[in-house]
Structures are given as C-alpha cells and as structure tokens.
C-alpha cells in the first residue's frame, strides 16, 4: 500500500516505492528535479502518480514525454490500469494522429514531438503544471530542443515543475545545466548478473557468437525468455535463421520460438513478441527494445554491443548509418531488460575492458544530424541564432553553416548582412515551417503548386516521411517481388509510390485495405501512417492560396521537376552502370531495390543518399539535365570562355560551361556574351565589328569610314608617310566615346542609328 495515497496504488515491490516520500518532497521543494533510476525501478509509470501525490494536476496537466509513440501509448494504458476504475478518465495520451485526452485528464503521455508542436502555439506551455521528460539519456533532437525551450521558459513560469529522468542519465551534466538537485533510485525489481564473453581470435562475428550463447542458455533447464540485441535487420534475419536451425526441439528436448523485432517488420509480426508461446521465446531485436518497449518474460539478454547509428556529415553532406559499439549507458539499458520478472543474466559478447573504455553516453543527436529542419523550426519560433540557443551540447559551427546553406538553397530563408541571427523566413519558408515535413520535402510541395502537380507530390512527400511501405519477408521474397512488380514504374520510384497510393485509394474500407496489403506485401501500419500524414499536409495547406490540388492527373515530367526542387543535393551523373558521380566528389550506387537498378539513365535524382556498406541512392528517378538547370537558378556555376564576334548572328558570343555542385551540366554551349559581360562584349564588338569592319552590310557610316581609310592608306603608301590614318587605339576611343554603353551588338547599333543618326560616327 502506498503511504501517501492508497488510491494512487504505487506497487510496493518497485524500488521507486521506497523513495516515494523523498521524491514527493523534492517535487514540492524544487522547480526542477533530476531523477536517475535503473531500468525496472518504476520511474516511467510511478512518477506521474507521485506528481499527483505532490498536489500537482489541479491547475494544469502533468505532461509525460516519451521518445516513441509505442511507449507513450503502452505507458498510458499501464498507468490507467494501475489507477483503477478512475484511471481511464485521469490518464490520456496524444501521439501523432491519435488524441485520447479528455476534459478530466490529469496525466497526459505524449511524444516529445507533440509537446514541441504545442510549444509553437503556446510558448509558455500554459496547459501544463508539470512536465516529465523521460528517457532523457537518448538525447534525440526533440529531447534536446525541448530541454532548451524549458531552460528558457522556467524563469517565466516559476510555478512549472520539470522532472528529467532516465535509467542512465548523465546526472552531473543535467544538474549543472538546470541548477537542480539529483535523486537516485537504486536497485531494480531483480538483480542482473553480467557475464562477459569477448570474441576469440577465430571468431566468426557477432551473429555466430550470439547463436552459441543462446544455445548455451537454451541447454540450461532454467526457464525464462531470451532477448538478443543485434545492430541491423540483416544481422537479425541471419541470426533468426541460424537459431531456428540450431535450436532443434528434439536435440534440446524443449521447444523454442525465435522471433525477429525491427522497425520495418509488419505490425502483426511485431505484436507476436507480446503473445505467449509454447516453450521458450527468443526475440532478436534492434535497439528498439532497449528503451521503447518491454518484451515480457525476459530473463536473459545477449548483447552484441553494437547498434546502427545515424550520423550526418556536414562536410560531405552524406547521411551515414554505420554499425558502432554502443555506449556504456546503452549497454546498461540493455542489461536492465532482463531484471523485470526475476533474477536475470546479461551475456555481453565483448570484454569488460572493452565496456569500461567505451564512452559513457551516446553522442547527442544534435551533434550528428542534419540541422536544416531544426534551424527552420527555430527561426519560425523566433528563438534566435541556433548557435546561441541553450542546448546542453551545442552543435558545431560547420553543422550550423551547412543547415543554413541548405535552407538558403531551398529558398526558405534570406540572410541579411551575412548575419545568421538576422535570418528571416521567405514566403515559401513560412509555409515550409508549418508543414510536418523535412524542409526538402516541403520545398517539393511549394514547387508542385507552381507545376500543377500538387495532388501527386503530396502523395510522394507523405510517403517519403514514413518507412518504405513495401515489405519483403525472407521466406516470401519471390512472391513479394512479383506483387511489387505490378506497381513499379521502370523510370521512377516516385511514380511507383503514386501507383500504390492510387490502388489503395480505390478501396472502400479498412478491411479491404488490410487484405490489399497482405496480398501485395505492403505494411498496413505504414500505409495508414502515410494516409494520415497526407491528410495532415492537406489540412495545413488549406489556409494558403494556390495550394488546392487540381482534378486532372499531372504528367510525370511535371511531377519529377517539382520533386527535383528538393533533391538538387542528391542528383547524380552516370559514370558506369549503376554508379553515379554525386556532389562534393562522392560516388554512389543506385540501391538494388530500386526499379532503376541496372536500367537508370544518364542523370538521376534520389530522395536520399545514405551510406551503409557503401553509398546508396534510394528512391530514384531518371531526370533531364535541362530540368536541373531550370530548378537550380543561382546554384548553377557558369564559366564562359573564348568570347568572339560572330558576324552571322551580329553579336559577341562565347562558349559556356555550366555545372552544379561540381557536376557538369553543359559544355561549350554557345551563348550571347553581352548580358554576361557587357563591357568586355562591347570592347570586342567595337574592335571586330567596327574597326575591322565585320559588322555586316547596311551601315553607311562604316562603309564611308572603311573607304576613307582605304584611300588614306593608299595615299600613305604613295607618299611613304605613316601619319595620315589614326591607329586602332585612337579609333577605338572615338567609337567608345560616341556610342552609348548599351550598344554592343548589331541590333543595338541599328537602334542607336535609327534614333540619333550616324553623322557622329
């Protein structure tokens, strides 16, 4: 029983219950509290109830943020259940496209993205009396952005309570940033034994080591399920296949069910990990199981010590997804997964020395991300120069410069006097800031309105905002490929997305949509998310003139030109089959899953360029170089050479080379040199057309002058005297003085003579 309030029902077997009085007192006495508690200590579920015990929730909501939707929804359900019959009314949640908050709600679970969106409308977050920032150790962009906003907000709202918590939080750093006390909840539900199994010299890699470790666990008569951490989907599939072959029921005299868990897995397959099975359950997962959700029944963890981490290189403009050793904090989070239902064992497939030399915490996302979207959001909220924003770990100057450069290239901002703090949104930038999209996707929407293809591009950008809806189970690869082939466009993965959308749009019910997805190897969950984002884009654009989708289907060329406006940084020029020269000296390969693989044209664009094992161009389309030239505008680099008078056209022409980001678009294209270099063109015109007489027929003054010069030169020859005809520099000075500066070709010369006559010449 809870001594503070029996109705709150704080389970006494949770470690946090022993410190309930201390936590409530700290909440009452301090505006900010840093709370560190081991995985399984009860932080996420019990802290909101302890805020109620401290008297909060009467003047505003108790907001609880989570990095992921699945955690926000499941935690809300758990807390509501623990609070008994009244819990359904007192506890709610809000995630993207789902709002379960009512008038009686006091505890509101939500993703950190939701509260950031609310901060855009209400800078004081006046709806909240307390905000709990959970899983703060993840240091995602949203978490760091929210923490920065809260640091600036606290002096303005002294009554607002903020609790920052995680199992592996960097308490010293957070305490110093917020000048806040630290409370620690020691212990978890059950102890966890750590075993280290470093790889030997003949190791076959983490998959083989994990399979051997699981086999040893399965041979032990003790019960309990197993959670294996692998870094990528490919590692997981390989591990699952080997385990299913290794853990033969007859060999071990006990059944085992091996299940994968990763982001691209279909929703129904993800949910299988929560269902009871006959015998032992073995789940092989990415780090989605590290903090986002709890797999029930886990007594053993096998940790490869690896994870795939997103790293954006501002210097190269490339998003990389390398497999890297996890931090000590992440390793501890993983170990905590097996102490929930009984004493656990965590087998680490690396040595203790390796563990001790790893960084304490994962590098914050703000320091390894493309910052264009963050900067756009900050400018729209009038939060000032991102370089001066109170981030716990500020991003580098190079990353900020890259983000500003991208927004400038996309036409979202203008910068006055080269000062970043003076950056202002353009009209397009204001629309882009409101859209729930990456800035480059928002730019595509702006261009689509001008190109008459808004309906198609809204579908495309919504699709690019979710994971690929096409799934390819390893046991049904051929069937999946055959089903997907019906949608594929041979020249564009973007049109493929439209084809899927159009087929799905014909269906009248969710049941039909579900059957359609199963039949065509599509993710029902992702397709629904795709539809939800599309609907949100439409709602945002309703207030803007010129953003009403047309009724007629747009031509693919118009669609691709609109999409290209946001993909200029990821265009490629073919060097060899499937290999393309990209900007900044990079070379990339068309992704094998693209419809363009082995059949791409001379120029392609990609929705993203990602480095995994190598640099891949994903979601591609063939494009024409003239489209690039039309979309790029001032981003084009032009170099003219060999200017000369061209008698036939009557103007000074030159040969022009055009490039973008180092990629050659045109070479030795003949262009009119006058508009490019007016003074130089005029000088060539006077020398060639007038002094040398190459202007062509129809100019009486020139015929007169040339005849006179010929007569005088003949006289000079007879008299053997060389001072009768002025030299070329003097003649140039005469024409230069008597002709207006705008005369630099045959057509402008005729306009001048028609207006002023040619007597002065």
């Amino acid at each position: 029983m809870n001594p503070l309030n029996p109705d709150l029902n704080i389970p006494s077997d949770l470690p946090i219950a022993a410190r309930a009085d201390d936590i409530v007192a700290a909440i009452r006495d301090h505006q900010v509290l840093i709370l560190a508690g081991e995985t399984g200590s009860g932080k996420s579920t019990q802290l909101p109830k302890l805020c109620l015990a401290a008297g909060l929730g009467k003047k505003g909501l108790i907001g609880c943020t989570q990095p992921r939707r699945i955690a926000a929804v499941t935690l809300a359900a758990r807390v509501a259940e623990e609070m008994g019959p009244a819990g359904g009314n007192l506890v709610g949640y809000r995630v993207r496209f789902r709002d379960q908050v009512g008038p009686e709600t006091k505890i509101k679970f939500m993703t950190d993205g939701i509260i950031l969106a609310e901060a855009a409308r209400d800078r004081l977050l006046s709806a909240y009396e307390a905000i709990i920032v959970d899983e703060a150790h993840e240091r995602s962009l949203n978490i760091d952005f929210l923490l920065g906003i809260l640091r600036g907000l606290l002096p303005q709202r002294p009554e607002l309570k903020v609790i920052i918590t995680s199992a592996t939080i960097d308490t010293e750093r957070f305490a110093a940033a917020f000048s806040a006390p630290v409370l620690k909840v020691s212990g978890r539900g059950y102890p966890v034994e750590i075993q280290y199994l470093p790889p030997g010299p003949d190791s076959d890699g983490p998959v083989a080591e994990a399979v051997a470790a699981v086999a040893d666990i399965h041979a032990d008569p003790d019960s309990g399920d197993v959670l294996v951490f692998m870094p990528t989907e490919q590692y997981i599939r390989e591990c699952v296949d080997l385990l299913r072959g290794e853990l033969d029921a007859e060999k071990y005299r006990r059944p085992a069910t091996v299940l994968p868990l990763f982001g691209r897995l279909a929703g129904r397959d993800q949910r299988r990990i929560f269902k009871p099975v006959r015998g032992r359950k073995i789940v092989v997962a990415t780090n989605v199981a590290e903090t986002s959700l709890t797999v029930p029944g886990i007594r053993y963890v096998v940790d490869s010590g690896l994870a795939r981490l997103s790293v954006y290189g501002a210097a190269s403009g490339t998003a990389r997804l390398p497999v890297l050793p996890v931090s000590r904090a992440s390793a501890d989070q993983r170990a905590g997964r097996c102490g929930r239902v009984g004493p656990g064992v965590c087998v680490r497939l690396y040595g203790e020395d390796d563990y001790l030399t790893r960084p304490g915490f994962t590098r914050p996302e703000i320091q390894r991300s493309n910052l264009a979207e963050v900067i756009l959001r900050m400018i729209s909220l009038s939060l000032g120069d991102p370089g001066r924003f109170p981030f716990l770990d500020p991003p580098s100057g190079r990353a900020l410069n890259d983000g500003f450069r991208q927004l400038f290239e996309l036409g979202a901002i203008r910068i006055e006097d080269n000062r970043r703090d003076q950056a202002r949104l353009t009209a397009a930038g204001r629309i882009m800031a409101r859209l729930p999209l990456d800035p480059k996707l928002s730019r595509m929407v702006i261009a689509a309105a001008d190109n008459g293809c808004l309906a198609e591009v809204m579908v495309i950008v919504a699709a690019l905002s979710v994971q690929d809806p096409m799934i390819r189970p390893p046991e049904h690869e051929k069937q999946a490929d055959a089903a997907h082939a019906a949608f594929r466009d041979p020249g564009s993965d973007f049109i493929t997305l439209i084809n899927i959308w159009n087929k799905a749009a014909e269906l009248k019910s969710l049941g039909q949509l579900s059957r359609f997805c199963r039949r065509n190897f599509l993710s029902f969950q992702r397709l629904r998310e795709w539809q939800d984002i599309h609907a949100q884009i439409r709602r945002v654009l309703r207030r803007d003139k010129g953003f009403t989708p047309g009724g007629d289907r747009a031509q693919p060329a118009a669609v691709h030109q609109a999409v290209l406006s946001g993909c200029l940084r990821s265009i490629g020029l073919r060097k060899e089959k499937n290999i393309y020269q990209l900007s900044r000296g990079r070379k990339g390969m068309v992704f094998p899953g693209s419809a363009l693989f082995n059949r791409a044209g001379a120029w392609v664009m990609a929705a993203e360029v990602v480095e995994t094992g190598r640099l891949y161009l994903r979601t591609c389309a063939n494009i024409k170089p003239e489209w690039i030239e039309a979309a790029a505008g001032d981003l084009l680099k032009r170099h003219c050479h060999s200017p000369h008078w061209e008698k036939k056209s009557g103007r000074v022409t030159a040969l022009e080379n055009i490039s973008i980001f180092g990629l050659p678009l045109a070479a030795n294209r003949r262009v009119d040199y006058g508009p490019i270099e007016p003074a130089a063109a005029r000088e060539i015109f006077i020398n060639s057309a007038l002094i040398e007489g190459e202007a062509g027929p129809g100019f009486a003054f020139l015929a007169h002058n040339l005849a006179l010069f010929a007569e005088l030169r003949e006289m000079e020859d007879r008299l053997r005297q060389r001072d009768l005809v002025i030299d070329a520099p003097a003649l140039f000075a005469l024409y230069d003085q008597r002709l207006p500066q705008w005369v630099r070709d045959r057509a402008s010369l005729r306009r001048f003579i028609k207006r002023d006559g040619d007597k002065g010449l």
Side-chain angles (χ1 to χ4, degrees), residues 126-144:
S126 52
Y128 297 93
E129 191 174 5
I131 295 173
I132 301 171
V133 183
D134 200 2
E135 306 296 358
H137 79 282
E138 290 202 9
R139 301 294 303 279
S140 67
L141 278 173
N142 280 345
I143 287 175
D144 269 19

Side-chain angles (χ1 to χ4, degrees), residues 34 501 552 738 746:
I34 313 298
W501 176 271
D552 297 332
R738 300 185 183 188
R746 189 158 57 206

Side-chain angles (χ1 to χ4, degrees), residues 339-375:
R340 298 293 183 95
V341 297
V345 176
C346 174
V347 180
R348 289 176 172 163
L349 303 178
Y350 46 95
E352 186 172 8
D353 290 344
D354 183 354
Y355 168 79
L356 293 173
T357 56
R358 294 184 177 200
F361 300 91
T362 304
R363 187 180 168 202
E365 191 177 1
I366 192 74
Q367 294 187 338
R368 52 183 175 85
S369 296
N370 185 336
L371 298 182
E373 187 172 1
V374 171
I375 295 169

